[in-house]
Amino acid sequence: MSPIKKLLRPEGGQNRSLLEDRRVRLALAALLAVLLWVAVTTVVQPGTTIPLGNVPVDYTYESSVYTSRGLSIVDAPERSVTLTISGDGYTIGELRAEDFVVYPDCSSVRSSGTKNLQLRVRCINSAVAGSISVSIADANSTVDVVFDVVEEKTLPIQVNTRYLTIEDGYILYSTAASSETVTLTGPSSELAGVASCTAEVSYSDPLSDSVTVDTNLRFYNESGQELHFEYVTLDRTAVEVTLSVYKTARLPINVRFVNTPPNFDDSVLIYSLSQTELRVAGPAGTVDDLSELAVGTIDLSTFALDKVYEMPITLPSGLVALDNVDTVTVSFNCSAMATKTLNIPAENVEVINLPPTYQLTVESDRLMNVTLCGPAAVLEGLTADQVVARIDADDFAVALGQQNIACSIYVPADGRVFALGSYAVQCMIESN
């Protein structure tokens, strides 16, 4: 017989269980009742009340109440409250701050301004929401919230350089901010007073070179009074301002000539300029490398006696003109000059830079109607035998066969004579 059965069966062999004894059953019932009472009072604890602190106020909850009227919250204090939660101890003991939302009651908000609003609390844990009660324990359960119509306003950024000092011989040529505009966001009532935005650049030393300076933005009303914002926010509070500081110089002007003969003496061309010098500015290194300005070029092949040239001013890269001058007039004094037309014999054609593997033969008997220009006294005694037509093989692609090849005309004995027009010679190129 098992020990349990032996225990329940009294000695003497009688088939009677202890559970059949009324006194035993009463004792067991009393013990069970005590155990149930302990479980209810210590575990379930109905009617328990506990505090829950540091529950933040959520100003976005039910925001459609005021946003539907075109309003936004422009200022609200950070606030946390303590809640009082009632219910059975087992359930409420597991609750956390994220199971609740504390929010201002905005149902009465109709217009802009500061509103004192009652704080409300709601359990957002659907599993327990119907079985507990919750309230705000703080003595002050209201909050001041500022409402207004929130707008955007974009202003140009005006660079102000009145606080800068520039060294003598230099100028502040230009300024450039890293952004041309600033966007302000905030209450319409505060934005309405904003008229302008400036980046007021300052630098400790006199400037003689270009620099980039971080500069804070400042805002003013129509009367020029500086504004300091309470609720307005900015998409940027500062910009980088690049200050281009140039060295200045006053340089003499001249013109250059192209399509000149190899030994050309430009003193033969006596000219006057409508502007003999020009004030310029640029990086110090560029300005220091210049002693004069060649404002343009004149092609001698198209030169005409007594012609007046209007030449646009073309400056080297990085250089700017400070004078309000776009063109220079070039007038030539040709009173002592003349022109003369000659036919140049073939034997006066010279060839330079021809590779030794080639041979060039001039097939024309002479180069006809070559017009020369120079001092009248020189041209009067000039003969065709004194004129040379030069072919430079570096100026064309050398190929076998017959072709017309451009040549330059010059007078070896006098570099003041030059040719008008362009000329070519019929030649045959063969290999050696």
Side-chain angles (χ1 to χ4, degrees):
M1 179 180 296
S2 68
I4 296 177
K5 289 183 178 181
K6 188 175 181 180
L7 176 66
L8 296 176
R9 187 181 297 279
E11 294 184 5
Q14 297 180 1
N15 277 332
R16 188 176 179 190
S17 170
L18 286 177
L19 294 177
E20 296 177 2
D21 190 316
R22 183 170 179 274
R23 289 171 299 176
V24 173
R25 292 199 302 273
L26 288 174
L28 290 175
L31 177 61
L32 180 60
V34 171
L35 292 174
L36 290 174
W37 179 83
V38 170
V40 169
T41 57
T42 62
V43 179
V44 178
Q45 294 181 324
T48 300
T49 298
I50 63 171
L52 180 62
N54 295 320
V55 181
V57 176
D58 184 351
Y59 292 98
T60 64
Y61 192 73
E62 293 189 348
S63 59
S64 60
V65 173
Y66 54 83
T67 57
S68 63
R69 297 185 173 93
L71 299 173
S72 296
I73 292 178
V74 297
D75 187 51
E78 290 188 11
R79 175 86 180 273
S80 295
V81 299
T82 298
L83 304 180
T84 298
I85 307 170
S86 299
D88 66 72
Y90 179 79
T91 299
I92 65 177
E94 299 296 323
L95 295 176
R96 299 291 181 267
E98 54 266 26
D99 294 311
F100 302 91
V101 59
V102 177
Y103 60 97
D105 183 357
C106 299
S107 58
S108 62
V109 176
R110 297 287 187 276
S111 61
S112 302
T114 301
K115 312 294 182 182
N116 183 258
L117 303 177
Q118 184 70 42
L119 292 177
R120 308 294 183 192
V121 61
R122 182 174 296 171
C123 179
I124 55 176
N125 185 335
S126 58
V128 300
S131 60
I132 66 169
S133 62
V134 59
S135 61
I136 297 174
D138 295 33
N140 178 18
S141 59
T142 63
V143 64
D144 288 333
V145 182
V146 180
F147 293 87
D148 208 333
V149 177
V150 174
E151 296 179 348
E152 283 190 355
K153 190 172 191 175
T154 299
L155 294 173
I157 298 173
Q158 303 168 1
V159 177
N160 189 318
T161 59
R162 60 182 173 180
Y163 302 111
L164 296 177
T165 303
I166 310 300
E167 278 196 11
D168 291 341
Y170 293 82
I171 63 166
L172 177 60
Y173 178 70
S174 66
T175 62
S178 57
S179 178
E180 295 182 352
T181 61
V182 58
T183 298
L184 298 78
T185 304
S188 58
S189 57
E190 194 170 9
L191 287 179
V194 185
S196 62
C197 170
T198 63
E200 300 177 11
V201 191
S202 62
Y203 200 77
S204 56
D205 301 318
L207 288 171
S208 60
D209 201 359
S210 299
V211 294
T212 298
V213 183
D214 288 330
T215 307
N216 292 328
L217 299 180
R218 303 174 73 172
F219 298 86
Y220 297 89
N221 61 18
E222 290 286 356
S223 302
Q225 295 177 319
E226 186 172 2
L227 302 174
H228 299 282
F229 300 123
E230 185 175 4
Y231 303 121
V232 168
T233 59
L234 314 172
D235 66 343
R236 58 180 50 82
T237 59
V239 290
E240 291 183 343
V241 179
T242 299
L243 306 169
S244 296
V245 177
Y246 284 176
K247 188 173 185 178
T248 62
R250 189 179 294 273
L251 298 174
I253 292 175
N254 65 15
V255 293
R256 291 177 179 169
F257 302 97
V258 296
N259 284 326
T260 59
N263 60 343
F264 181 58
D265 179 1
D266 63 4
S267 65
V268 69
L269 297 173
I270 302 171
Y271 60 86
S272 59
L273 301 169
S274 59
Q275 184 95 4
T276 59
E277 59 182 15
L278 192 66
R279 289 191 312 121
V280 298
T286 302
V287 174
D288 290 341
D289 287 341
L290 297 173
S291 58
E292 61 181 10
L293 288 175
V295 294
T297 58
I298 294 176
D299 186 351
L300 286 189
S301 67
T302 63
F303 184 79
L305 297 178
D306 300 319
K307 180 178 179 179
V308 176
Y309 292 82
E310 287 286 340
M311 305 188 66
I313 294 177
T314 304
L315 298 178
S317 177
L319 215 60
V320 295
L322 300 181
D323 296 320
N324 188 23
V325 178
D326 297 322
T327 61
V328 172
T329 301
V330 185
S331 304
F332 288 89
N333 180 359
C334 297
S335 58
M337 298 185 69
T339 61
K340 188 173 186 177
T341 301
L342 297 173
N343 298 324
I344 312 303
E347 55 267 26
N348 281 24
V349 176
E350 67 176 11
V351 181
I352 62 173
N353 298 321
L354 184 70
T357 55
Y358 294 95
Q359 178 180 336
L360 185 147
T361 304
V362 176
E363 295 190 333
S364 303
D365 292 335
R366 61 187 61 249
L367 187 58
M368 304 295 292
N369 299 321
V370 175
T371 301
L372 300 168
C373 183
V378 174
L379 292 182
E380 186 177 356
L382 187 67
T383 65
D385 290 336
Q386 296 173 287
V387 183
V388 175
R390 172 181 285 183
I391 294 174
D392 189 345
D394 286 344
D395 294 338
F396 65 95
V398 178
L400 297 177
Q402 190 179 63
Q403 55 184 302
N404 280 330
I405 302 175
C407 61
S408 59
I409 308 298
Y410 74 104
V411 177
D414 198 320
R416 295 174 295 172
V417 178
F418 57 93
L420 304 180
S422 57
Y423 303 92
V425 179
Q426 184 72 31
C427 300
M428 172 64 73
I429 298 178
E430 301 172 299
S431 59
N432 287 330

